[in-house]
Amino acid sequence: MSTGRKRTGQMQMHPGQHPVDDDLVQRLIAGQFPQWAGLKTVRCPSAGGTVNAMYRLGDAMVVRLPLVKGGAEDVSLEQEWLPRLAPHLPVAIPEVLGTGRAAEGYPWPWSVYRWRAGENPEVGALSEPLLLARDLAGFVAAMRSITLPGAPQAHRGGQLASLDASTRAAIEELRGIPQEGVDCDAATAVWENALRTPGWDAPPVWLHADLMPGNLLVDGGRLTSVIDFGCMGRGDPACDLFPAWNLLPADAREIFREALAVDDATWNRGRGRTLSQALIALPYYRKTNPAMAHTARHVIRAVLGEGRGTTTLG
């Protein structure tokens, strides 16, 4: 597992964020995994991570500790489902090597994973965008084809209307931040168009549900691993279309859509979901997580640019 190579400094991103430092990690490892107690720990602040602290443990492992209670709820989900999903997917995903428990003043479960080599892809610097688009479509299609029973509901898998209040509140907040230059009227129009789109009325499908650039690892421009499955579960397939706007250029975006055979309604919901996430993230992270804010700005530009030519559905 990797956290990418472009780093940001440590910043307090959330109310109630639990402090995590080298000493705490070393005490947790020594107390629960004494076989690894002699290995060096090094903080790896993720360029786009928001709810976990990551520490390299020796050369082959990484410790991942939630910073907030909401992130802690995802730990057990990953520990249960990652081993079951891995055989069905075309690229590597996180492999749990150790399951940690609350101790030493740290209140939540945590995990040790195998380190995955690779780099986070960068918008505007993709060496093989068309091939990456096909790789991403292959991963999404493989997720959708999984039929394992007992799947949880994905965090983002519900009705688009459930995001309406928070999306409109974010748009109004951005009206008060003119330096961001967001065309809030255009954003509202694209959002309202998405709300008019027919919802998903077929059985829910398996989703990763958080396909952000920081959760993808590439080597030589090709997808090698997908990480951070804390949002996974079953829901609307539109939730796994995020890379179309948060990463891929226009020509690769079309390759991605064609490879997945996405219908107009699902594409429109995917655009709306991606825009909603970006609109909410930008005012929240603009001062505390530059990478997340940068991705949000890119999404807003990409979606509004495409949205001006969107056909109204519904």
Side-chain angles (χ1 to χ4, degrees), residues 224-272:
T224 59
S225 185
V226 177
I227 61 176
D228 193 346
F229 279 66
C231 294
M232 69 177 146
R234 297 184 74 185
D236 180 355
C239 298
D240 268 351
L241 299 180
F242 285 12
W245 298 277
N246 70 28
L247 181 62
L248 298 174
D251 54 348
R253 186 181 307 150
E254 288 305 312
I255 293 293
F256 179 70
R257 178 177 182 174
E258 291 170 9
L260 287 169
V262 181
D263 62 82
D264 287 347
T266 300
W267 191 251
N268 213 35
R269 291 195 312 277
R271 180 193 294 116

Side-chain angles (χ1 to χ4, degrees), residues 10-294:
Q10 283 184 251
M11 289 174 270
Q12 187 82 11
M13 292 180 287
H14 311 289
Q17 182 170 318
H18 195 281
V20 175
D21 57 23
D22 295 63
D23 182 63
L24 172 63
V25 175
Q26 290 166 0
R27 294 199 316 271
L28 288 169
I29 292 294
Q32 300 181 42
F33 302 104
Q35 71 273 27
W36 299 329
L39 297 177
K40 185 177 181 181
T41 57
V42 179
R43 177 84 182 226
C44 305
S46 168
T50 60
V51 295
N52 292 282
M54 308 283 283
Y55 281 79
R56 283 293 296 268
L57 180 60
D59 294 326
M61 293 178 286
V62 61
V63 183
R64 187 163 175 259
L65 304 100
L67 294 170
V68 293
K69 185 178 180 180
E73 295 169 358
D74 300 335
V75 172
S76 297
L77 187 72
E78 287 197 331
Q79 291 172 352
E80 176 184 359
W81 285 102
L82 288 175
R84 301 170 67 181
L85 295 176
H88 302 276
L89 297 173
V91 296
I93 66 173
E95 179 184 353
V96 180
L97 301 178
T99 58
R101 64 183 186 277
E104 302 290 339
Y106 181 77
W108 304 306
W110 49 283
S111 300
V112 181
Y113 297 89
R114 189 177 307 282
W115 177 260
R116 299 293 187 195
E119 304 291 335
N120 298 134
E122 293 184 54
V123 171
L126 303 178
S127 61
E128 298 285 354
L130 302 185
L131 294 176
L132 180 59
R134 294 189 185 280
D135 291 344
L136 286 164
F139 172 82
V140 171
M143 285 292 296
R144 292 181 183 179
S145 71
I146 292 172
T147 57
L148 294 171
Q153 181 176 342
H155 288 355
R156 299 188 177 104
Q159 295 294 318
L160 198 64
S162 67
L163 303 173
D164 190 38
S166 55
T167 301
R168 291 182 188 275
I171 291 171
E172 291 310 307
E173 187 171 359
L174 285 166
R175 287 189 192 278
I177 312 175
Q179 58 268 39
E180 287 294 347
V182 175
D183 186 338
C184 293
D185 291 340
T188 300
V190 173
W191 175 244
E192 290 179 346
N193 176 264
L195 288 174
R196 290 191 293 271
T197 303
W200 182 250
D201 58 3
V205 299
W206 265 98
L207 306 165
H208 178 278
D210 195 20
L211 291 176
M212 301 292 287
N215 291 334
L216 308 173
L217 298 177
V218 298
D219 183 22
R222 304 298 299 273
L223 184 69
T224 59
S225 185
V226 177
I227 61 176
D228 193 346
F229 279 66
C231 294
M232 69 177 146
R234 297 184 74 185
D236 180 355
C239 298
D240 268 351
L241 299 180
F242 285 12
W245 298 277
N246 70 28
L247 181 62
L248 298 174
D251 54 348
R253 186 181 307 150
E254 288 305 312
I255 293 293
F256 179 70
R257 178 177 182 174
E258 291 170 9
L260 287 169
V262 181
D263 62 82
D264 287 347
T266 300
W267 191 251
N268 213 35
R269 291 195 312 277
R271 180 193 294 116
R273 287 182 180 276
T274 310
L275 177 62
S276 170
Q277 184 189 52
L279 292 169
I280 294 168
L282 180 53
Y284 188 86
Y285 289 115
R286 62 189 297 267
K287 293 183 178 180
T288 61
N289 192 317
M292 283 292 289
H294 173 75

